[in-house]
Amino acid sequence: MAQVHSFLKLTWVELKLFARDPFATVFALVIPLIMLILLAAVFGHTSADAKANGLVVFRGVRGPEYYMTSSIGLVIVAIGLLNVPIHLATYREQGILRRFRASSIPAWAIFGSQIAVALVISALGSLIMVMVAVIFYGTRSPAAGFGVVVAFIMATLSFTALGFLIAALVETARATQGITLILFFLFWMLSGSGPPRAALPDTARRFTGIVPLTHALIAIQDPWFGYGWNVGELIILAGITITAAVPALLLFARDSES
Amino acid sequence: MSGDTTTVIRVANLRKSYGTTIAVEDISFEVFDGEIFGIIGPNGAGKTTAVECLQGLRAADQGEIRVLWFDPRSQLVQLRRYIGAQLQASSLPDRVKVWEALDLFASYSSRPVDWKDVLNQWGLSNLRDRSFGDLSGGQKQRLFLALAFVNEPQLVFLDELTQGLDPQARRMTWKLVQDICMRGTTIVLVTHFMDEAEYLCDRVAIVDHGKVVSLDSPQAIVDSLHVPLRVRFSAELADLSWIEAMPEVQKVERRGSQIEIEGTGPVLALVAAALVERGILPTDLRAERPTLEDAFIALTGREIEA
């Protein structure tokens, strides 16, 4: 019980630290919101069956509905891929991890609190995106709500795991910041969250499959738009989570032992 | 140190290397209950690595370590309940508030203490809502000390406690360390400041190139090297031969009206008496005692780089 209480305390402190970090809040909440408003304004009147390169542009929904889900994807990426690794790399670089460890804060609590923060902030950010979309663009609620929630959680876990891996592999907080920013924009460009996949040139479209955000996006969109649960994408997200988290945690454990 | 000499730390033949670099070659010492034990040496001598092995933050390659009743390698969780740590080059998140750090660390300590008491005890009440990043160097050290004591430890490791502090903050930190010791906590102090070790420590181990080169009280280490005492005063004296003739005097030098005498034993008292006898009453008569720093240079053959 005491362990749970301490864990909640740590998570609460981490949540407050997130809220006090302007870089984190801008990327996690402001940029996805701007993208949503801008792209919904541009493609607000595009019909649901519009085509580009012979492909349906917005997966059979209106532009604002499409960009509501992609802004949820951006929130998740900003937190898991940007905030988590930069935060952890800073902790390691400044000796904060060592101090935590020396004060009996267990490793599971440190990583667990990062996952909890990622889930809470992603949920909060996503709610904001959905509320704006519903109020201003009259978007529909999800066809399969539970499916969306499961896909959302799986997506958040997979990007947080990727964040752990980047923090474990990259030496400094500065380098982490550079690498994750590049990834953030690459993912945005190549996943369909910015330009829809149908609108991408053929060469670029070939890369969409290796971008994790593509899978997260489809996993969230399918139950939302009424195409049902996409089990295949959920399995891919689970695979990303495990393949990233296991080596990351092993690397962190090895670092702290040397 | 009182007459009680219960051993709280026993280290024998500790060895630790990183790849091909040997950080600690062979270190052995004991620390007794209630003392302030210093580990001193130049940067890179292996001091921090050694104490991090004692705290279970690093795994030693070889050697016997016993801290309180525990082996840090196999009984780390139990050990952490009884020790506190101020780590070198460690920090807290810049945006965490003082009270949040205390509250968090207290919740992870095995003995529940009220963090508000700790706040008052360490004079941090007025900094309660201040962000860590906005604290001065001295205030940060005070918070680190408070955090190290949040589980009421029996043994505390303080690594480079006063690095980067201004002289006033250093003096205040020294006072805090002495207060802690008075309350019965054993302290292991790692430092490269010789004056700090000399001022605070009951005993010190001088570490150089991963080995203990001397271990005793600061005074005993200084005495054992027979570094001469320097006596200085100003006087217009034409003839110095009567000073040179004193058996305790080894050397006399004159720089203008400044006279410097090197000698041993009670040379200061004897010179003073002889001066008074001759009606010479310099107002600036003083002795410069050899310090731990002199002893350190003599022992290691190099200067401390700050």
Side-chain angles (χ1 to χ4, degrees):
Chain A
M1 244 344 261
Q3 284 280 313
V4 175
H5 179 248
S6 301
F7 173 73
L8 291 177
K9 193 157 266 179
L10 176 61
T11 304
W12 181 232
V13 170
E14 289 288 359
L15 277 169
K16 287 193 276 189
L17 290 178
F18 180 93
R20 290 172 196 158
D21 180 356
F23 177 86
T25 39
V26 162
F27 269 90
L29 305 173
V30 180
I31 289 189
L33 189 63
I34 291 172
M35 295 292 182
L36 170 63
I37 293 168
L38 261 178
L39 293 168
V42 176
F43 298 107
H45 303 292
T46 317
S47 71
D49 54 1
K51 290 198 174 156
N53 300 319
L55 298 162
V56 177
V57 177
F58 292 124
R59 306 204 64 213
V61 297
R62 294 185 306 122
E65 318 231 30
Y66 183 89
Y67 283 113
M68 173 186 64
T69 56
S70 66
S71 64
I72 290 175
L74 276 190
V75 170
I76 295 172
V77 177
I79 290 158
L81 205 68
L82 272 177
N83 184 61
V84 166
I86 294 169
H87 195 70
L88 279 178
T90 310
Y91 269 25
R92 190 185 42 209
E93 196 167 283
Q94 298 184 352
I96 297 167
L97 281 184
R98 268 173 4 110
R99 170 158 294 279
F100 277 9
R101 237 153 27 83
S103 306
S104 301
I105 301 182
W108 72 260
I110 296 170
F111 289 96
S113 67
Q114 291 302 312
I115 296 172
V117 168
L119 283 168
V120 171
I121 304 289
S122 300
L124 211 72
S126 301
L127 272 178
I128 295 173
M129 302 308 141
V130 173
M131 273 162 53
V132 170
V134 168
I135 294 168
F136 294 99
Y137 312 111
T139 55
R140 293 169 298 168
S141 50
F146 187 53
V148 169
V149 170
V150 170
F152 166 84
I153 292 172
M154 292 298 296
T156 307
L157 290 180
S158 65
F159 281 100
T160 308
L162 281 174
F164 287 170
L165 185 61
I166 293 169
L169 290 175
V170 184
E171 204 110 316
T172 64
R174 235 185 143 69
T176 307
Q177 194 159 3
I179 289 169
T180 53
L181 269 173
I182 291 169
L183 284 177
F184 178 84
F185 287 109
L186 264 182
F187 282 12
W188 180 74
M189 290 294 292
L190 291 175
S191 63
S193 8
R197 283 190 300 283
L200 288 174
D202 288 348
T203 38
R205 199 176 317 122
R206 254 178 249 132
F207 291 103
T208 55
I210 60 163
V211 174
L213 183 55
T214 309
H215 302 286
L217 214 54
I218 298 173
I220 292 171
Q221 284 173 343
D222 279 3
W224 202 304
F225 299 160
Y227 307 139
W229 292 50
N230 192 326
V231 178
E233 297 293 7
L234 290 178
I235 290 171
I236 291 175
L237 290 179
I240 293 172
T241 308
I242 292 163
T243 18
V246 172
L249 296 178
L250 288 175
L251 281 172
F252 268 104
R254 196 199 60 184
D255 270 9
S256 63
E257 264 300 300
S258 63
Chain B
M1 203 173 71
S2 65
D4 182 7
T5 53
T6 318
T7 305
V8 290
I9 297 177
R10 182 173 281 128
V11 186
N13 308 112
L14 174 67
R15 187 184 171 87
K16 171 74 182 172
S17 46
Y18 304 112
T20 54
T21 314
I22 299 167
V24 174
E25 193 175 330
D26 183 2
I27 282 181
S28 304
F29 59 82
E30 288 188 348
V31 177
F32 304 123
D33 191 24
E35 73 174 331
I36 303 184
F37 184 84
I39 298 177
I40 62 178
N43 291 332
K47 312 174 301 265
T48 294
T49 300
V51 291
E52 289 189 342
C53 288
L54 298 186
Q55 297 171 79
L57 288 165
R58 293 185 191 281
D61 298 338
Q62 279 172 41
E64 297 290 318
I65 307 175
R66 202 83 189 155
V67 180
L68 297 167
W69 312 275
F70 309 105
D71 178 342
R73 275 166 293 198
S74 55
Q75 296 163 299
L76 190 55
V77 176
Q78 296 97 308
L79 174 62
R80 291 237 165 103
R81 278 186 210 146
Y82 299 96
I83 62 171
Q86 130 68 37
L87 306 170
Q88 189 188 9
S90 82
S91 187
L92 286 171
D94 274 349
R95 292 188 177 88
V96 79
K97 295 196 189 319
V98 167
W99 77 267
E100 289 169 339
L102 280 168
D103 183 20
L104 178 65
F105 280 55
S107 90
Y108 273 102
S109 90
S110 51
R111 265 159 290 192
V113 286
D114 190 342
W115 61 265
K116 293 182 198 83
D117 292 343
V118 181
L119 198 74
N120 293 328
Q121 211 175 337
W122 291 90
L124 292 164
S125 310
N126 54 338
L127 302 172
R128 198 193 124 109
D129 294 313
R130 189 81 63 88
S131 293
F132 177 76
D134 294 336
L135 298 179
S136 71
Q139 290 167 335
K140 281 181 182 169
Q141 284 309 355
R142 196 136 41 100
L143 176 59
F144 285 150
L145 279 169
L147 292 174
F149 283 89
V150 88
N151 59 340
E152 296 185 332
Q154 304 195 356
L155 168 66
V156 173
F157 294 91
L158 306 174
D159 195 349
E160 295 295 358
L161 188 64
T162 60
Q163 184 129 39
L165 295 190
D166 60 51
Q168 200 182 0
R170 277 184 84 200
R171 287 279 165 179
M172 275 175 60
T173 311
W174 289 359
K175 176 81 176 53
L176 288 172
V177 172
Q178 284 176 321
D179 290 350
I180 295 157
C181 184
M182 297 293 268
R183 284 185 238 158
T185 312
T186 307
I187 296 167
V188 174
L189 183 82
V190 178
T191 183
H192 72 274
F193 293 121
M194 295 297 134
D195 56 339
E196 181 166 299
E198 194 162 13
Y199 186 82
L200 287 174
C201 296
D202 297 300
R203 291 188 310 137
V204 295
I206 298 183
V207 175
D208 194 26
H209 298 300
K211 286 181 176 169
V212 176
V213 294
S214 184
L215 196 166
D216 212 324
S217 70
Q219 188 57 56
I221 289 176
V222 173
D223 290 348
S224 72
L225 289 167
H226 305 292
V227 183
L229 190 74
R230 282 196 189 85
V231 177
R232 287 199 176 110
F233 59 91
S234 327
E236 299 300 336
L237 290 179
D239 175 24
L240 296 173
S241 60
W242 56 273
I243 301 177
E244 281 160 356
M246 295 165 74
E248 288 78 10
V249 171
Q250 293 167 336
K251 205 167 102 186
V252 182
E253 264 181 38
R254 184 211 309 267
R255 279 187 217 101
S257 62
Q258 273 277 323
I259 301 186
E260 184 179 307
I261 301 165
E262 274 187 21
T264 51
V267 62
L268 173 64
L270 293 169
V271 167
L275 287 170
V276 174
E277 207 173 280
R278 282 168 174 75
I280 306 159
L281 303 170
T283 52
D284 62 347
L285 176 68
R286 67 201 183 276
E288 270 169 31
R289 283 178 23 76
T291 62
L292 196 56
E293 186 156 347
D294 297 319
F296 177 85
I297 293 164
L299 278 165
T300 62
R302 51 182 168 148
E303 309 248 348
I304 285 274
E305 64 266 31

